[in-house]
Amino acid sequence: MTDDTTSTPHEEENTTDFGFSRVNRGDKAGMVRGVFDSVAGRYDLMNDLMSGGIHRIWKRFTIELSAVRTGQTVLDIAGGTGDLAAKFSRLVGPEGQVILADINAAMLTVGRDRLIDKGATGNVQVVQADAQALPFDDNSIDCITIAFGLRNVTDKAMALRSMLRVLRPGGRLLVLEFSTPTSALLGKLYDQYSFQILPAMGRLIAQDAESYRYLAESIRQHPDQETLLEMMEVAGFANCRYHNMTGGVVALHQGFKA
Amino acid sequence: MTQHDPALISAALAGIERALNQAIALSPTSHDELAGLAGTVLGVEVTTVDLTVYLDIISGTEARLMTHCELPTAAFVRGTVEDFASLASSKDPAAVLINSGIELEGNSGSLIALQQVISRMDIDWEAPLVATLGDVMGHQIAETLRSMFRWGESAHSSLRRQISEFVLEEARLTPPKAELEYFFDAVQSLSMQVDRVQNKLEKLRAKVEQKRGQA
């Protein structure tokens, strides 16, 4: 791990953000994996506590906007504990298919077990995959969702290009991610919450303040609404737009493959 | 970008959807009727608050509410909150659809069928009480609630009758309905007589002008 205050332009190219720190690009995936290995078992409980259950509402709107229908193929990247995949499994029916993908084996194990418990089995595949190099055929997926996952990807532009490649023409990508609050007052409250309360909750419930500090820092490092919109357009997505939710704390970006 | 915060609307719809599905679950007699509407999507735009909501009847036991829907809609209705309240409570929804300010696109049949399913719903409120509190306690509480509800209904209708009698008969604040109808009939009859007299006068005037022209 290196500190960004002393980095040269050459080092900038070879490093990426990990929270507020700069790390070697090759090391980030392993470090993110470490964070999620640590929180996997209590990930859903912590999400409920940290967001007051609102993450379910954000995901509900994501499912609405996906307009997924019977028989379609849906890829849920960074699907973690499988809450979106379980809903998609019902929507696509037995003729369709849902692929739950995550780079982290611990999260996938939790997700797979949850899906079995919910009875979502016949039409769900669980795949350990890197969003930057998706192991799927070109033009094979109708809808891709990535909820609270893009900010952990080392090369976001590369991941967006990879998603565009596997989408069918007309298919859509939905990126649900923490973003930038639209009001200054909300932004200040949100900062206090993220850097004071969140790590304390992580320490109390998951006995892991550092992982939750990383989550808060990684949210601040993530591109804001307009920047991510531009990144999607540069990657080749068409008709890109976004919806701010809860005052911009979270944004849902949508783009189509032309 | 959407005007409303989608999270707020989604949260409200999630609560309503949960209550709706709970009500459907407690009304087994509605399941077959709703199953007949499975696959039907209805769109509702409430102009008062600039909000569009879609109802997707998934099966006889489940419905989904959405703010965004790309499925074809069987019917799409547009109106104010007051319009929809009168439609929901009406015994003759077809008349309300025709006479109110509600705009309808698509097939009104599915909308009327759904309104009738809702009005015929017979929700068994006792079932969750029995499931939670046991047979004896649940039944007793349900009986108490039912008798309170019956008393409330009876008291409400009695109060309405008494107020009506006081206003019409004792205080004479408004004329009785029969008197009012007689007055309207008399006004209508007078209006028709005036029209006939006016027509006769017009004819006479035309004849006089014709004779003047010949002279």
Side-chain angles (χ1 to χ4, degrees):
Chain A
M1 200 183 297
T2 59
D3 195 298
D4 63 345
T5 52
T6 56
S7 59
T8 64
H10 177 69
E11 282 171 341
E12 279 285 320
E13 279 177 20
N14 294 318
T15 61
T16 186
D17 56 272
F18 178 77
F20 288 159
S21 310
R22 302 291 299 177
V23 298
N24 289 325
R25 294 180 81 84
D27 295 341
K28 177 167 174 173
M31 296 174 79
V32 171
R33 189 178 302 133
V35 168
F36 283 92
D37 279 345
S38 164
V39 300
R42 298 183 182 203
Y43 187 70
D44 281 351
L45 172 69
M46 281 301 295
N47 276 347
D48 275 332
L49 286 173
M50 289 186 312
S51 68
I54 301 175
H55 74 105
R56 293 173 193 277
I57 300 298
W58 296 329
K59 286 172 183 169
R60 182 190 159 96
F61 184 63
T62 307
I63 287 166
E64 272 182 29
L65 218 62
S66 73
V68 162
R69 297 178 206 185
T70 309
Q72 290 192 323
T73 303
V74 181
L75 169 62
D76 181 23
I77 302 174
T81 51
D83 44 0
L84 277 180
K87 298 253 168 39
F88 283 132
S89 166
R90 292 189 63 201
L91 290 174
V92 300
E95 304 91 40
Q97 195 180 34
V98 178
I99 303 162
L100 171 64
D102 202 300
I103 197 167
N104 186 283
M107 294 290 283
L108 273 182
T109 306
V110 175
R112 188 185 55 199
D113 291 348
R114 296 256 168 91
L115 288 170
I116 292 169
D117 291 347
K118 287 176 181 171
T121 49
N123 58 0
V124 180
Q125 275 187 54
V126 178
V127 177
Q128 187 172 8
D130 184 346
Q132 298 166 129
L134 292 167
F136 306 109
D137 290 339
D138 293 3
N139 309 315
S140 59
I141 309 284
D142 293 296
C143 176
I144 297 178
T145 55
I146 177 165
F148 307 114
L150 190 64
R151 70 178 189 279
N152 298 314
V153 175
T154 307
D155 189 336
K156 295 171 183 64
M158 187 179 173
L160 290 171
R161 286 196 300 275
S162 178
M163 292 174 207
L164 186 72
R165 179 184 62 78
V166 301
L167 267 182
R168 286 199 175 111
R172 81 183 73 196
L173 165 68
L174 291 164
V175 181
L176 179 66
E177 191 54 90
F178 289 104
S179 205
T180 306
T182 49
S183 121
L185 178 65
L186 181 62
K188 279 182 185 167
L189 289 171
Y190 184 49
D191 276 348
Q192 285 296 313
Y193 173 77
S194 302
F195 295 110
Q196 304 300 326
I197 300 169
L198 194 65
M201 285 170 82
R203 188 166 50 243
L204 274 173
I205 294 154
Q207 285 82 48
D208 185 0
E210 278 311 303
S211 294
Y212 285 90
R213 194 180 308 282
Y214 160 72
L215 293 180
E217 290 178 3
S218 64
I219 290 166
R220 296 306 183 281
Q221 294 297 98
H222 187 68
D224 66 11
Q225 288 88 331
E226 289 297 330
T227 310
L228 181 56
L229 190 77
E230 197 184 328
M231 285 172 73
M232 287 174 67
E233 285 166 348
V234 168
F237 285 94
N239 299 325
C240 297
R241 60 183 303 201
Y242 66 84
H243 299 265
N244 279 325
M245 289 193 273
T246 320
V249 168
V250 160
L252 177 60
H253 284 72
Q254 178 181 236
F256 292 84
K257 181 166 180 175
Chain B
M1 308 304 128
T2 47
Q3 274 186 306
H4 304 288
D5 190 322
L8 283 177
I9 307 295
S10 271
L13 289 186
I16 297 167
E17 183 184 288
R18 201 179 172 86
L20 178 66
N21 284 323
Q22 188 69 34
I24 293 171
L26 294 174
S27 175
T29 51
S30 310
H31 293 181
D32 285 345
E33 287 183 306
L34 267 181
L37 291 168
T40 303
V41 179
L42 302 168
V44 177
E45 185 185 338
V46 187
T47 51
T48 323
V49 287
D50 191 19
L51 173 69
T52 303
V53 175
Y54 297 89
L55 171 71
D56 179 11
I57 301 163
I58 297 169
S59 67
T61 54
E62 190 180 4
R64 188 160 64 125
L65 291 171
M66 299 169 283
T67 52
H68 177 89
C69 180
E70 293 176 19
L71 295 166
T73 50
F76 191 91
V77 283
R78 193 178 289 111
T80 62
V81 173
E82 296 80 19
D83 290 334
F84 289 117
S86 64
L87 178 66
S89 59
S90 170
K91 284 180 183 163
D92 187 0
V96 175
L97 271 179
I98 293 163
N99 298 321
S100 70
I102 289 177
E103 288 176 40
L104 170 71
E105 288 168 24
N107 175 15
S108 63
S110 50
L111 190 71
I112 292 167
L114 178 69
Q115 197 275 347
Q116 285 171 347
V117 172
I118 293 169
S119 65
R120 280 199 290 264
M121 274 179 106
D122 183 17
I123 297 169
D124 179 14
W125 298 109
E126 192 172 328
L129 284 172
V130 167
T132 314
L133 303 167
D135 287 350
V136 177
M137 180 76 86
H139 179 67
Q140 280 177 349
I141 291 175
E143 273 300 303
T144 310
L145 289 173
R146 262 195 290 270
S147 62
M148 281 170 66
F149 186 66
R150 275 197 297 270
W151 180 85
E153 267 190 329
S154 151
H156 178 245
S157 76
S158 169
L159 184 68
R160 271 186 67 172
R161 200 172 53 248
Q162 286 177 23
I163 288 173
S164 167
E165 278 174 11
F166 174 78
V167 168
L168 291 172
E169 310 296 341
E170 292 181 33
R172 301 284 295 171
L173 293 172
T174 61
K177 192 179 173 191
E179 201 175 299
L180 206 62
E181 278 174 359
Y182 176 77
F183 173 74
F184 285 143
D185 283 347
V187 168
Q188 196 172 11
S189 170
L190 180 65
S191 163
M192 285 166 73
Q193 284 170 355
V194 169
D195 283 347
R196 282 193 206 106
V197 169
Q198 191 177 1
N199 281 340
K200 279 181 184 170
L201 283 172
E202 289 292 330
K203 276 182 186 174
L204 282 172
R205 186 181 294 141
K207 272 184 186 175
V208 169
E209 282 179 5
Q210 196 180 4
K211 280 185 180 174
R212 270 187 196 158
Q214 285 171 356

